Every structure is written in structure tokens, then in C-alpha cells.
Amino acid sequence: MEIINLEDLKHGNRVANYSIDLATKLNLSDYNISSIYLSGLFHDIGKSQLNQNILNKPGILTESEKAHINKHPFYSYREVLKMGYPKNIALDILYHHENWNGTGYPKGLKNLEIPLGARILKIMDVFDALTVERPYRKKLNINEALSIMDKEILTYDPTLYLLFTRYIAEKHKTSIIRSNFPNLSRILDNKYLYLRNEF
């Protein structure tokens, strides 16, 4: 029997709202903003098809348990298509665990091979997961969360990540301590400033 977890629904709603805020800052069309919202809302719907004991396990996962959980983007993709949503929304969902440097899953896509919506979801999904209570970890404050994300910066679209950190500072009206933050002027090469041409 499939189980829809209330916390997964809340997580999807938060990710969707974070994502449309960033998409709006990119001056995307209304259609693309609404598509990214729906992708965020449903990105984890496939977790209902996972073994819930594994999904909510408080300890360290085995390799087989990780492989099981890593199936959820495909389950979410398939479910959204069955619900009648457009394929671009389903693809954002399928690829929201892909990494900018090609180390993600399910296909190991990298850079602009990853749809823009998926690249936005990637950032917002991680941020929300770090800043809410989890079975295996207490929630982190903003600076703690960003410190962890900074260490994984090569997995994020660097242009979007820079915009995201500015957005978080504005949203929470706070100074962000970035003692471990890498030199973005070094990472942000002109070839990454592409967003106006994506749609």
C-alpha cells in the first residue's frame, strides 16, 4: 500500500515556494515559474512507493538501502506523468538529484545537461532538508545549513547558488556568516552566466 507522508507533503510545499521565489528573481515566464512550482510540490511524491522503514531509518543506511531510496525520483517522475502533467515538469523531478559536476543520479548528468528547474530544486531541496527536523538529525540554523552546502558547492549550479544565498539573506533579513565560503569570483566564469538564454 502506498503511504503519503505528511512531512513529505510539507517538505514539497516548502521546496515549491522557495523555488518559485528564486525562479521569479530570474525573471522567468509565468508558465515556467508555475512549472517549477509544480515540480517542487511533487518532487518527492514517489517516496510513497518506498519502504517507509528504510526511508525513516534513524541510523546509517546500507548500500542496498541507499539504492532503494535513490529510486524515488523515477517513481515521482512516473507518478506525475500518470497524473497528466507535462513532461518538462516530470523531467525536473526526475533529475533533481543530479549534480552540476556530474556526480549525481539517476543518469550522472552535468552542467547544462540538467534542466534549469531541476537545478533549482536541487538547491532548495537540500536547504529545506537541512533546516527542518529529520529522524536522523536535528534541524540546523541557516548558517549551519549553508556551511554544509558550501562544502558541496561543486554539486550546485554556481550562478543559481550565488543567487540562492542572496535570496536567503534577504528572506531571513540576516547576515550570513561565510567563513568557509569559497571564492565565487573564481568559480563564476562568464560561461555560467547563461540564464537569460535558457527560455
Side-chain angles (χ1 to χ4, degrees):
M1 181 176 68
E2 293 183 11
I3 300 171
I4 305 297
N5 186 295
L6 179 59
E7 291 308 313
D8 288 339
L9 293 176
K10 290 179 179 177
H11 169 67
N13 187 60
R14 289 190 299 269
V15 170
N17 283 300
Y18 282 138
S19 297
I20 60 170
D21 284 350
L22 192 59
T24 299
K25 287 184 176 295
L26 296 173
N27 295 317
L28 302 184
S29 68
D30 289 345
Y31 172 80
N32 287 303
I33 290 172
S34 64
S35 293
I36 289 170
Y37 174 81
L38 290 169
S39 298
L41 196 63
F42 296 128
H43 75 282
D44 277 347
I45 194 172
K47 285 185 175 179
S48 65
Q49 300 177 41
L50 298 179
N51 181 312
Q52 299 300 297
N53 291 327
I54 295 175
L55 181 62
N56 297 300
K57 180 180 175 179
I60 297 173
L61 298 176
T62 66
E63 289 304 312
S64 63
E65 288 171 337
K66 289 178 184 176
H68 175 69
I69 287 178
N70 288 356
K71 293 176 182 176
H72 81 270
F74 172 72
Y75 294 150
S76 300
Y77 164 85
R78 185 174 63 185
E79 194 64 31
V80 165
L81 287 178
K82 287 198 307 190
M83 291 163 65
Y85 287 99
K87 192 166 185 179
N88 66 301
I89 292 174
L91 288 174
D92 283 347
I93 289 170
L94 179 62
Y95 297 137
H96 78 275
H97 280 291
E98 297 288 359
N99 292 336
W100 183 256
N101 62 358
T103 60
Y105 66 90
K107 290 193 173 181
L109 302 181
K110 63 181 180 179
N111 300 347
L112 300 184
E113 295 172 348
I114 308 167
L116 176 59
R119 301 196 310 268
I120 292 173
L121 292 185
K122 161 78 180 178
I123 295 170
M124 299 311 188
D125 184 31
V126 173
F127 178 74
D128 186 70
L130 291 172
T131 53
V132 298
E133 198 83 14
R134 290 281 172 155
Y136 48 84
R137 179 191 37 72
K138 292 183 178 180
K139 70 177 183 179
L140 305 179
N141 65 39
I142 293 171
N143 282 304
E144 289 170 333
L146 290 177
S147 179
I148 289 174
M149 294 179 74
D150 288 350
K151 293 172 184 176
E152 301 294 327
I153 191 166
L154 295 180
T155 66
Y156 309 116
D157 177 323
T159 300
L160 293 179
Y161 190 71
L162 177 60
L163 295 173
F164 157 73
T165 58
R166 291 174 176 169
Y167 157 72
I168 291 299
E170 292 169 6
K171 181 177 176 66
H172 294 277
K173 297 181 173 57
T174 185
S175 298
I176 295 177
I177 302 169
R178 314 308 297 280
S179 58
N180 295 320
F181 196 52
N183 182 357
L184 270 182
S185 64
R186 174 174 53 82
I187 294 174
L188 276 173
D189 186 275
N190 285 337
K191 66 183 177 182
Y192 295 141
L193 303 177
Y194 48 77
L195 291 169
R196 67 176 65 89
N197 299 319
E198 288 223 19
F199 289 106

